[in-house]
Amino acid sequence: MPHKPPTEEEHEARKLVGINYETITNVHATDIPGHYPGEDHSWDINKFRDGFKVQIHQNDPYEASFSLIGCDPSIANAFRRIMIANIPTLAIDQVFIYNNKSVIQDEVLASRLGLIPFTGGREGLQDFMKWRAKDDEPKDYNTVGLELCVKCENNPDASPNETDPRKLYKHAHVYAKDIVVTLAGRQVEFFSGENAIRPVNPDILIAKLRPGQEIDIKMHMIKGVGSNHAKFSPVATASYRLMPVINITQPILGRDAEKFQKCFPEGVIGLERVTREEAQQVGSGYEGHEGELKAVVVDPRRDTVSRECLRHEEFKDKVKLSRRRDHFIYLVESTGQIESEQIFLESVQHLKAKAKKFEIQLKNMVR
């Protein structure tokens, strides 16, 4: 008997992970050679190119959301791991404490300073600044110097009845904006004016001081990657999730529709009126319900797949929840030194370079 190729509906069903009340089904990928007799699932670059898509949902400097459709989970996860651990940034790495009379211990203060994200001119940060080895001497092309010299004193102009320490004292609070960058050599060419190195958020609180307390610190900022320390990671978070699929199999009307809408996050399910054409269509399930509210899927991407609707008996057999295994929705939140969109593009270039390096090693191995 000749093999019957799968229909489009069957082909799409293979890509869905079933979400049931207590179980998850179809979790394993089946698009591999030999799984289905008579079907060729060997990887083909032209087939991949035709099925691969990128959809941009949000593109802001500090936050981006986009979808990769039609790629393997291993590739999707590779991008995520590269964005977290392999994209280089500049961060405070060496802290020289000359005086610290605050209540914060030296090591805790140094850790706080290292975690402050900085930004500056893209050309200077990414092209001019080079890597600095452990034993290398500080140079203008591998190290940026910073200083933090703050002393808390009484404010002679404060009101006698004032209780706010920020008005009672000078420098009662030490912020990231109090850090001074000391440029050297050619750094002046790349980090002046609008391109100046500065904290992403100048109001990050570093310490609280009282009269008689002071901080005198010098710091070195160098280039590093997140795999060495989290302070070098260009992202606050980089994550992805599978695209939710909500299939309403039977009409949900009236008060049930309103209740069904509340089972999902805002914007996922909408309410529409049953049209005359739908009410006259035999077998549609809307016969005799013209003008009533019906539940429709508006934006499944907003869904968190909580399965709340599956808890209610009135929705049994009326809805099927699933997730598409080859549709990955990314959320990339930049710490501010590199724009979120650029972080992903850098991860693509990084993976490409890794692939080329592996290709060379593979060729050398089989010679």
Side-chain angles (χ1 to χ4, degrees), residues 53-91:
K53 297 178 183 177
V54 179
Q55 294 179 351
I56 307 298
H57 309 302
Q58 179 185 356
N59 188 13
D60 297 327
Y62 292 164
E63 185 171 316
S65 178
F66 55 91
S67 291
L68 296 186
I69 306 171
C71 70
D72 190 82
S74 60
I75 302 299
N77 195 48
F79 287 136
R80 182 190 67 86
R81 292 176 64 91
I82 290 172
M83 286 188 283
I84 293 174
N86 296 112
I87 306 299
T89 64
L90 259 69

Side-chain angles (χ1 to χ4, degrees), residues 155-362:
N155 182 8
D157 299 327
S159 171
N161 298 323
E162 185 61 63
T163 58
D164 188 349
R166 289 171 294 183
K167 297 179 180 179
L168 273 174
Y169 316 118
K170 295 181 179 180
H171 299 296
H173 291 182
V174 182
Y175 296 101
K177 60 187 175 185
D178 295 319
I179 297 176
V180 178
V181 179
T182 57
L183 301 179
R186 293 190 61 199
Q187 292 177 357
V188 178
E189 301 177 23
F190 296 94
F191 301 124
S192 298
E194 295 180 353
N195 296 324
I197 294 179
R198 58 199 183 277
V200 174
N201 185 347
D203 295 325
I204 294 176
L205 182 64
I206 298 175
K208 294 183 179 181
L209 303 180
R210 291 299 179 265
Q213 296 180 340
E214 61 180 300
I215 294 175
D216 186 4
I217 293 175
K218 296 185 185 300
M219 296 157 280
H220 284 172
M221 179 185 294
I222 65 172
K223 182 174 286 189
V225 291
S227 57
N228 292 333
H229 196 285
K231 65 186 176 185
F232 292 113
S233 181
V235 295
T237 181
S239 61
Y240 66 80
R241 58 191 177 94
L242 297 180
M243 177 67 174
V245 178
I246 305 170
N247 184 18
I248 299 177
T249 58
Q250 297 181 28
I252 302 177
L253 303 167
R255 292 185 176 179
D256 285 350
E258 296 177 357
K259 182 178 180 179
F260 185 75
Q261 184 186 46
K262 294 178 181 179
C263 292
F264 296 85
E266 184 178 355
V268 177
I269 301 297
L271 299 177
E272 296 180 359
R273 298 287 179 180
V274 177
T275 63
R276 178 176 299 180
E277 291 76 12
E278 290 174 327
Q280 294 176 349
Q281 186 178 356
V282 179
S284 65
Y286 297 117
E287 299 94 329
H289 296 283
E290 181 182 349
E292 288 189 36
L293 290 175
K294 66 174 181 178
V296 295
V297 180
V298 176
D299 188 2
R301 184 171 59 87
R302 295 173 177 266
D303 186 29
T304 57
V305 195
S306 65
R307 295 189 274 194
E308 171 65 20
C309 63
L310 301 180
R311 296 177 58 248
H312 303 281
E313 190 68 24
E314 56 266 46
F315 304 137
K316 185 178 181 181
D317 300 327
K318 290 186 177 181
V319 60
K320 288 186 178 180
L321 303 180
S322 55
R323 288 193 171 191
R324 185 169 175 176
R325 67 172 77 253
D326 65 343
H327 187 149
F328 303 92
I329 305 173
Y330 283 82
L331 177 63
V332 180
E333 297 180 12
S334 170
T335 57
Q337 188 168 132
I338 307 176
E339 292 188 359
S340 51
E341 177 190 30
Q342 187 63 31
I343 293 173
F344 175 69
L345 296 177
E346 289 284 341
S347 71
V348 175
Q349 294 297 327
H350 196 91
L351 183 60
K352 185 178 179 180
K354 282 178 173 286
K356 287 185 176 180
K357 184 177 180 180
F358 177 72
E359 181 184 16
I360 295 173
Q361 294 175 341
L362 190 62

Side-chain angles (χ1 to χ4, degrees), residues 32-48:
I32 54 177
H35 187 88
Y36 295 102
E39 297 183 21
D40 181 18
H41 288 280
S42 57
W43 192 84
D44 181 77
I45 188 170
N46 293 321
K47 183 179 178 182
F48 169 78

Side-chain angles (χ1 to χ4, degrees), residues 92-93 95 97 104-116 206 217 229 231:
I92 295 173
D93 185 67
V95 179
I97 300 178
I104 304 176
Q105 300 95 326
D106 291 354
E107 59 273 19
V108 176
L109 182 59
S111 178
R112 283 191 179 187
L113 292 169
L115 292 172
I116 296 175
I206 298 175
I217 293 175
H229 196 285
K231 65 186 176 185

